Amino acid sequence: MTETVVTVLLAEDEPSLPGLEALAGQARVQEARTPEQLKAALPDTEVLVVTDFRTDVLAQMWPDNCPVRWVHATSAGVDALMIDPIRNSDIVVTNARGIFDRGIAEYVLGAVLMFAKDTLTNLSLKREHRWQHRETRLLRDSLAVIVGAGSIGREVARLLGALGVNVVGTARHARDDAAFDKVYAQDDLPGLLGEADYVIITAPLTPDTEGLFDEPQFQRMKAGSVLVNVGRGPIVRTDALLAALQSGHLAGAALDVFEQEPLPADHPLWDQPNAMLSAHMAGDFIGWRAALGQQFVDNFERWQQGEALANPVSKEHGYVSNA
């Protein structure tokens, strides 16, 4: 039996995806870390694994009559993969849905607790050696709006709901979902923002979500509310967010993703006292790379058996359906 050629596209400084040695005898695995290596590999590649989710080299190096039949992203977001030759073809696209859900949900829970208990002020006062008694908020009976009611959003809703938070979500269409008190259509979002204590973005980057949170949207948000973005950076217009934080209209923001990554060292967000920043790491728990490798190996076995692949992504919408 001819071995399937699997090419793994990695960033130049990224370690190999662990666990793929399990494919010995079934596949010939090769790595591409540079545009030149990818160009040389693609004409023989049947399965392409993309670990560099921000890559822009696919469109540059994609050959005519490319033999790739399946593209797997080791990330939830697949926007960088939606080049015309992939979108307008019968190439199957899958993603890493499920791997990062719990890690991201715990990150969000920590961020929400941090703002409810005014932890940033505690840390600031500690640096100043100041004893200052204050009152803080209870999470119970607060309202969280989760923008993006997919698998990550559902896990966030479950954790927050366990602490007595009222949690609603938004999705492309309204639906019943046991993880939420209610899931509204995305078009209903503006009317929800004025009531929400916490607005949590877990949505993928699509034409419908890019720039969704701009100045008018922040003005719709409840005064003193908090934004948490663990979706994609370009969903939020950074300048508009910064203005809302500086004016005090928003009480705070926890940001794991940004329009420009890495965030420049001289960006004013670094010095914003009511913002917590992290380096696109919300879901990266200890062992996450091994989990990604095992997920692909399991899916490759389905591929070899002619079975339906797990986590098929809708090329039209850019994410895996909950159906």
Side-chain angles (χ1 to χ4, degrees), residues 156-222:
V156 172
R158 280 190 285 264
L159 289 190
L160 293 181
L163 294 183
V165 179
N166 301 309
V167 187
V168 300
T170 64
R172 199 159 50 91
H173 301 296
R175 68 171 191 265
D176 293 327
D177 192 318
F180 296 87
D181 295 318
K182 188 170 183 179
V183 175
Y184 294 86
Q186 188 68 26
D187 291 344
D188 295 328
L189 176 62
L192 299 172
L193 293 176
E195 302 298 323
D197 300 292
Y198 305 95
V199 176
I200 300 157
I201 301 171
T202 61
L205 180 63
T206 69
D208 292 332
T209 62
E210 185 169 4
L212 178 63
F213 278 80
D214 54 10
E215 182 179 357
Q217 206 80 301
F218 286 123
Q219 289 305 311
R220 294 184 183 103
M221 288 178 63
K222 179 180 180 180

Side-chain angles (χ1 to χ4, degrees), residues 96-233:
R97 174 179 162 133
I99 296 295
F100 300 108
D101 296 4
R102 182 68 183 199
I104 291 176
E106 291 184 4
Y107 176 99
V108 171
L109 175 60
V112 168
L113 281 167
M114 178 187 69
F115 282 109
K117 301 308 170 188
D118 201 20
T119 301
L120 290 179
T121 301
N122 286 340
L123 294 173
S124 177
L125 292 171
K126 178 179 179 291
R127 286 190 293 270
E128 298 173 12
H129 296 198
R130 287 177 55 196
W131 180 279
Q132 181 177 319
H133 180 269
R134 303 176 325 284
E135 297 176 346
T136 60
R137 297 180 180 181
L138 292 177
L139 286 185
R140 186 178 60 222
D141 297 327
S142 62
L143 175 63
V145 173
I146 298 178
V147 182
S151 65
I152 294 172
R154 296 182 82 251
E155 189 68 16
V156 172
R158 280 190 285 264
L159 289 190
L160 293 181
L163 294 183
V165 179
N166 301 309
V167 187
V168 300
T170 64
R172 199 159 50 91
H173 301 296
R175 68 171 191 265
D176 293 327
D177 192 318
F180 296 87
D181 295 318
K182 188 170 183 179
V183 175
Y184 294 86
Q186 188 68 26
D187 291 344
D188 295 328
L189 176 62
L192 299 172
L193 293 176
E195 302 298 323
D197 300 292
Y198 305 95
V199 176
I200 300 157
I201 301 171
T202 61
L205 180 63
T206 69
D208 292 332
T209 62
E210 185 169 4
L212 178 63
F213 278 80
D214 54 10
E215 182 179 357
Q217 206 80 301
F218 286 123
Q219 289 305 311
R220 294 184 183 103
M221 288 178 63
K222 179 180 180 180
S225 61
V226 168
L227 179 79
V228 180
N229 188 8
V230 290
R232 291 299 300 276

Side-chain angles (χ1 to χ4, degrees), residues 13-30:
D13 59 349
E14 187 179 2
S16 298
L17 187 64
L20 301 197
E21 60 275 5
L23 300 181
Q26 305 176 70
R28 176 166 63 86
V29 179
Q30 58 188 7

